[in-house]
């Protein structure tokens, strides 16, 4: 497995809280942005997912803050899928300043929801593999 997929985000002023650092909820948005960009890099758009009747869902998210981010800071957010057996998969994300300083980590458990049945698909790994035009970013 190579380096994880990553996307760079610049912290915007309206994302700051009253202490002048990135609002805690925005870290979750950055993580989600990186996950969607990872899917897009694999050739899986939201439209493609909807057309096939499935959508990714977050089942558990743990965020650990290590350093603050302030307006104008640049942060790289990685996204690494870990596959196992069953209906769920794991995602590991690292938030790192452009200078390499670790800022936060996010770990999560996800699934792929059948939008008609409203149940998790039995094998999300294979479904993502079938949808991807480039499975590399998803570690498939």
């Amino acid at each position: 497995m190579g380096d994880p997929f990553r996307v760079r985000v610049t912290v915007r002023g309206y994302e700051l809280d009253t202490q002048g650092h990135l609002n805690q909820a925005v870290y979750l948005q950055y993580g989600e942005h990186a996950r969607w960009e990872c899917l897009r890099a694999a050739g899986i758009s939201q439209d493609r997912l909807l057309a096939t009747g499935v959508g990714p869902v977050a089942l558990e998210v743990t965020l650990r803050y290590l350093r603050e981010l302030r307006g104008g800071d640049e942060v790289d957010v990685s996204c690494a899928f870990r596959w196992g057996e069953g209906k769920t998969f794991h995602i590991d994300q690292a938030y790192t300043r452009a200078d390499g300083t670790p800022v936060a980590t996010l770990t999560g458990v996800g699934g792929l929801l059948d939008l008609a049945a409203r149940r998790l698909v039995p094998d999300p790994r294979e479904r993502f593999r079938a949808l991807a035009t480039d499975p590399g970013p998803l570690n498939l």
Side-chain angles (χ1 to χ4, degrees):
M1 181 167 54
D3 288 336
F5 176 86
R6 66 187 71 247
V7 63
R8 181 163 288 178
V9 180
T10 301
V11 177
R12 296 165 288 257
Y14 62 83
E15 297 171 325
L16 305 180
D17 62 18
T18 58
Q19 288 81 29
H21 56 241
L22 187 65
N23 180 280
Q24 53 87 25
V26 180
Y27 285 83
L28 294 171
Q29 293 172 343
Y30 287 4
E32 179 137 356
H33 173 65
R35 292 189 298 274
W36 279 109
E37 288 298 303
C38 184
L39 288 172
R40 195 166 67 86
I44 304 173
S45 67
Q46 288 179 324
D47 288 342
R48 187 171 167 95
L49 287 164
L50 291 174
T52 60
V54 295
V57 292
L59 302 171
E60 177 183 313
V61 176
T62 301
L63 190 54
R64 183 167 181 231
Y65 305 98
L66 306 172
R67 304 266 188 292
E68 70 177 352
L69 286 171
R70 299 182 58 94
D73 286 349
E74 291 185 326
V75 60
D76 291 324
V77 184
S78 68
C79 183
F81 284 78
R82 285 188 293 121
W83 304 99
E85 302 299 320
K87 297 179 180 184
T88 63
F89 51 88
H90 293 265
I91 298 175
D92 297 313
Q93 295 185 265
Y95 297 62
T96 310
R97 281 200 190 108
D99 68 4
T101 304
V103 174
T105 60
L106 183 150
T107 56
V109 177
L112 193 58
L113 185 69
D114 179 314
L115 298 175
R118 308 308 290 178
R119 300 273 185 237
L120 295 177
V121 301
D123 191 347
R125 179 184 202 169
E126 286 309 312
R127 185 68 72 96
F128 275 123
R129 189 188 317 272
L131 289 167
T133 57
D134 178 4
L138 301 177
N139 295 326
L140 293 171

